[in-house]
C-alpha cells in the first residue's frame, strides 16, 4: 500500500480549499492500493469531507485532544474529528512539538485516544539539524517511537520528517532516508511485533512532484506527507499519479 497525504497546515480559506477540491477531483482516479488523504485546518474539515465524499479521498485532522470532551477551550476531540468525517489524524508534527510543547507523554495518550475512536493516527517523528550533526538521529527517533509501546491496538502510519527538511527546499538524500526508514522499520517490529512489518512509513520534508518519484524508490518508503506542494491541486494530483505508477 502507498499513501500520499496533504498537510495544509494553517493555510487556505474556504474558496481556495473548494477550488482545490474541484480541480484535484477532476484530475484524480482512485486506485485500490494507493491511499490519498487531505489534512486541512480543522475549521475546513467538514466542508472538504463533504466535497470529496465518495471520490476515494479521505480527510485527516492535523491534531486532536486526548480527552473525550470538557473544558479545553480551543481544542477538538477525537470524537469530533470522527464526527466531521475524518478517517485519520496527524499527531506529533514537529511544529506542534516545537511551537506548542507537545511531549511524547501527551502523544502516547493522543495515539490511544485516536485509535479508540477508530481514527488512524499518523505519527510524525524526526530530528533537528543539531541532533543529526550530533549523530543523535536514531536515538531521537527511538524515543519518539516509544510512545507506541503498549498503546497500539490498531492500524497506525508513521511519517519520518527530518525537521531540517521541512519547508526548506532541502530534502534528505536517498541514503539518509533509507537509513532512517530502515531503523524505523526495525523499531516498529520490536514495538509492535509482526504488525510492525506492515505499518506504512511515509517521508516528509520538501517533497514535490519533481522529487517524489526518486524518494518513493527508496526501500521502506511507503509514500509522503506533503506540506507546501500539496496546496497546488495539479502538483498534488501528479504526486498521487507517481505513487499509482510506482
Ligand atoms: P513541506 O513539504 O512544506 O516541507 O512540509 C512538510 C511537512 O511538514 C508535512 O507535514
Amino acid at each position: 500500500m502507498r499513501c500520499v497525504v496533504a498537510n495544509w497546515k494553517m493555510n487556505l480559506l474556504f474558496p481556495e480549499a473548494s477550488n482545490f477540491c474541484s480541480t484535484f477531483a477532476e484530475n484524480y482516479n482512485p486506485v485500490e492500493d494507493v491511499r490519498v488523504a487531505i489534512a486541512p485546518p480543522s475549521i475546513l474539515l467538514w466542508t472538504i469531507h463533504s466535497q470529496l465524499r465518495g471520490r476515494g479521498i479521505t480527510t485527516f485532522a492535523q491534531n486532536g485532544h486526548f480527552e473525550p470532551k470538557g473544558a479545553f477551550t480551543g481544542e477538538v476531540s477525537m470524537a469530533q474529528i470522527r464526527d466531521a468525517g475524518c478517517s485519520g489524524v496527524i499527531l506529533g508534527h514537529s511544529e506542534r512539538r516545537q511551537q506548542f510543547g507537545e511531549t511524547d507523554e501527551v502523544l502516547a495518550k493522543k495515539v490511544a485516544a485516536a485509535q479508540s475512536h477508530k481514527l488512524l493516527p499518523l505519527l510524525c517523528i524526526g530530528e533537528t539539524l543539531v541532533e543529526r550533526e550530533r549523530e543523535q538521529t536514531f536515538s531521537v527517533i527511538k524515543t519518539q517511537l516509544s510512545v507506541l509501546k503498549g498503546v497500539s491496538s490498531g492500524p497506525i502510519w508513521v511519517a519520518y520528517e527530518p525537521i531540517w527538511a521541512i519547508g526548506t527546499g532541502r530534502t534528505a538524500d536517498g541514503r539518509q532516508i533509507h537509513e532512517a526508514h530502515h531503523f524505523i522499520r526495525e523499531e516498529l517490529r520490536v514495538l509492535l511485533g509482526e504488525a510492525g512489518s506492515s505499518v506504512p512509513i511515509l517521508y516528509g520534508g520538501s517533497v514535490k512532484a519533481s522529487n517524489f518519484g526518486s524518494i518513493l524508490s527508496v526501500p521502506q518508503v511507503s509514500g509522503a506527507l506533503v506540506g507546501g506542494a500539496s496546496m497546488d491541486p495539479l502538483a498534488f494530483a501528479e504526486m498521487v499519479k507517481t505513487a499509482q505508477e510506482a
Side-chain angles (χ1 to χ4, degrees):
M1 182 173 70
R2 297 195 184 277
C3 321
V4 192
V5 181
N7 177 8
W8 288 355
K9 309 189 180 185
M10 196 175 73
N11 292 296
L12 303 192
L13 300 177
F14 170 75
E16 299 158 330
S18 190
N19 285 341
F20 174 98
C21 291
S22 335
T23 309
F24 178 68
E26 274 166 25
N27 289 277
Y28 168 68
N29 290 309
V31 163
E32 202 179 317
D33 212 32
V34 178
R35 297 272 305 271
V36 177
I38 313 276
S42 56
I43 198 151
L44 292 174
L45 279 173
W46 177 253
T47 301
I48 302 293
H49 166 71
S50 308
Q51 267 195 260
L52 297 178
R53 196 187 339 219
R55 292 177 173 265
I57 307 156
T58 57
T59 44
F60 284 11
Q62 297 176 12
N63 179 35
H65 200 279
F66 55 84
E67 290 290 354
K69 61 179 169 181
F72 302 98
T73 301
E75 290 289 333
V76 175
S77 75
M78 300 297 174
Q80 289 167 324
I81 289 169
R82 181 92 198 147
D83 202 33
C86 288
S87 62
V89 56
I90 297 174
L91 294 175
H93 192 282
S94 60
E95 287 148 17
R96 300 236 28 111
R97 293 177 189 265
Q98 292 191 316
Q99 299 175 46
F100 301 96
E102 254 181 38
T103 61
D104 289 326
E105 195 186 4
V106 162
L107 285 165
K109 293 185 194 172
K110 290 190 173 197
V111 169
Q115 288 185 328
S116 74
H117 286 88
K118 305 268 180 292
L119 286 171
L120 177 85
L122 170 48
L123 179 69
C124 301
I125 57 174
E127 80 288 357
T128 62
L129 188 57
V130 171
E131 288 163 345
R132 173 161 285 273
E133 285 168 354
R134 290 187 184 149
E135 300 188 354
Q136 295 167 337
T137 300
F138 294 153
S139 65
V140 167
I141 289 174
K142 190 179 165 85
T143 304
Q144 291 171 333
L145 279 176
S146 69
V147 307
L148 300 183
K149 212 182 291 173
V151 298
S152 188
S153 59
I156 184 157
W157 296 358
V158 169
Y160 170 61
E161 297 204 303
I163 294 168
W164 46 272
I166 295 177
T168 58
R170 179 180 169 194
T171 45
D173 65 32
R175 185 185 54 81
Q176 290 167 322
I177 297 174
H178 183 219
E179 278 175 2
H181 280 231
H182 177 74
F183 180 81
I184 293 165
R185 176 66 66 213
E186 292 305 307
E187 279 303 300
L188 287 171
R189 287 193 180 117
V190 171
L191 290 159
L192 306 176
E194 198 32 48
S197 300
S198 54
V199 171
I201 309 172
L202 284 62
Y203 169 80
S206 298
V207 177
K208 44 187 190 265
S210 58
N211 62 19
F212 186 37
S214 65
I215 290 170
L216 208 46
S217 69
V218 176
Q220 301 291 352
V221 173
S222 315
L225 179 54
V226 189
S230 74
M231 287 177 282
D232 173 342
L234 293 177
F236 191 62
E238 198 180 327
M239 283 185 258
V240 170
K241 254 186 221 128
T242 300
Q244 292 174 337
E245 286 162 8

